[in-house]
């Protein structure tokens, strides 16, 4: 079974700096053209680190541009879709599920259409944060879990061995008290002396 979800965060800084600079230059030029020239461009910027952009025209011409038509939006959306599809190639995604995974990425990241996702790339402040990236959720069995299970198994075995060792000690019985052993030894010595004396006496008669 395959699970789809919006998980993780794709940062625009994953793009190489050269590409981000080129994209920002394209974005600012696009804004200027939309406004009808620099004379009508009130504010136009693009942060090369986050790709956060703003376009404001004195004549309000920017309002006619749909969100997915901005160059930064298109490129970020396409990059996110590519990463989403790359996740479908994961070893834990069954071959029978890969097609559904690809289709899900394309449907959710329909760049260049009215169904394009709500990506945050157009901002008000130059340093405002931008959007993250939707990714398919992949069920991964952690090796740490297996290691923990193995560790617990070894611990249980050691505990059992210790219990068996204690149980064996109890079955052997406790040694006699020191005093009892000494008394028995003295009685045996006295008996031997008495027998010897009796034998000597008999031989003298």
């Amino acid at each position: 079974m395959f699970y789809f979800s919006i998980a993780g965060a794709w940062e625009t800084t994953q793009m190489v700096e050269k590409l981000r600079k080129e994209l920002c230059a394209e974005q600012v030029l696009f804004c200027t053209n939309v406004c009808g020239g620099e004379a009508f461009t009130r504010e136009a910027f693009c942060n090369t680190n986050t790709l956060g952009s703003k376009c404001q025209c004195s004549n309000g011409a920017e309002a006619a541009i749909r969100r997915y038509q901005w160059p930064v939006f298109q490129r970020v959306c396409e990059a996110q879709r590519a990463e989403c599809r790359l996740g479908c190639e994961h070893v834990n995604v069954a071959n029978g599920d890969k097609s559904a995974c690809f289709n899900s990425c394309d449907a959710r990241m329909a760049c260049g259409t009215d169904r394009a996702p709500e990506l945050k790339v157009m901002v008000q402040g130059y340093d405002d944060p931008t959007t993250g990236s939707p990714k398919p959720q992949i069920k991964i069995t952690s090796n740490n879990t297996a290691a923990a299970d193995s560790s617990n198994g070894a611990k249980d075995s050691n505990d059992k061995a210790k219990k068996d060792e204690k149980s064996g000690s109890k079955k052997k019985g406790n040694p006699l008290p020191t005093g009892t052993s000494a008394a028995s030894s003295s009685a045996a010595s006295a008996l031997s002396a008495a027998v010897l004396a009796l034998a000597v006496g008999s031989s003298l008669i």
Side-chain angles (χ1 to χ4, degrees):
M1 182 179 293
F2 189 80
Y3 298 86
F4 300 106
S5 72
I6 296 179
W10 179 89
E11 298 294 337
T12 53
T13 51
Q14 290 179 231
M15 287 186 180
V16 296
E17 184 179 10
K18 181 177 182 294
L19 180 58
R20 283 184 274 121
K21 288 182 176 179
E22 292 175 352
L23 180 55
C24 273
E26 181 183 352
Q27 171 72 14
V28 171
L29 179 60
F30 183 85
C31 174
T32 302
N33 292 335
V34 167
C35 293
E38 292 185 0
F40 301 99
T41 305
R42 179 173 297 170
E43 188 174 13
F45 67 72
C46 177
N47 187 323
T48 57
N49 289 324
T50 65
L51 297 182
S53 305
K54 184 177 182 179
C55 179
Q56 186 175 16
C57 309
S58 59
N59 55 16
E62 76 280 5
I65 305 301
R66 296 182 181 277
R67 70 181 187 283
Y68 58 82
Q69 293 178 315
W70 297 106
V72 287
F73 186 101
Q74 293 176 3
R75 296 295 289 276
V76 169
C77 183
E78 290 168 0
Q80 292 183 346
R81 181 174 59 191
E83 182 170 321
C84 180
R85 291 176 65 87
L86 183 63
C88 298
E89 298 289 355
H90 195 281
V91 66
N92 282 347
V93 178
N95 290 331
D97 291 328
K98 292 186 185 298
S99 178
C101 182
F102 291 139
N103 291 337
S104 175
C105 292
D106 294 341
R108 290 184 295 115
M109 307 300 294
C111 310
T113 72
D114 288 330
R115 295 182 293 106
E118 295 288 344
L119 303 179
K120 184 182 179 182
V121 291
M122 302 303 290
V123 295
Q124 292 299 315
Y126 186 82
D127 293 321
D128 288 352
T130 54
T131 192
S133 171
K135 298 178 183 178
Q137 178 182 342
I138 300 171
K139 296 186 68 177
I140 301 176
T141 301
S142 173
N143 290 332
N144 292 336
T145 301
D149 291 341
S150 176
S151 177
N152 290 336
K155 182 177 181 299
D156 291 341
S157 297
N158 291 336
D159 291 343
K160 185 176 184 301
K162 290 180 180 179
K163 289 181 179 179
D164 290 343
E165 183 179 349
K166 290 181 180 179
S167 178
S169 297
K170 291 179 180 179
K171 289 179 180 179
K172 292 178 182 179
N174 296 325
L176 291 173
T178 303
T180 302
S181 178
S184 298
S185 178
S186 298
S189 298
L191 180 60
S192 297
V195 171
L196 179 60
L198 180 60
V200 172
S202 299
S203 61
L204 293 176
I205 295 175

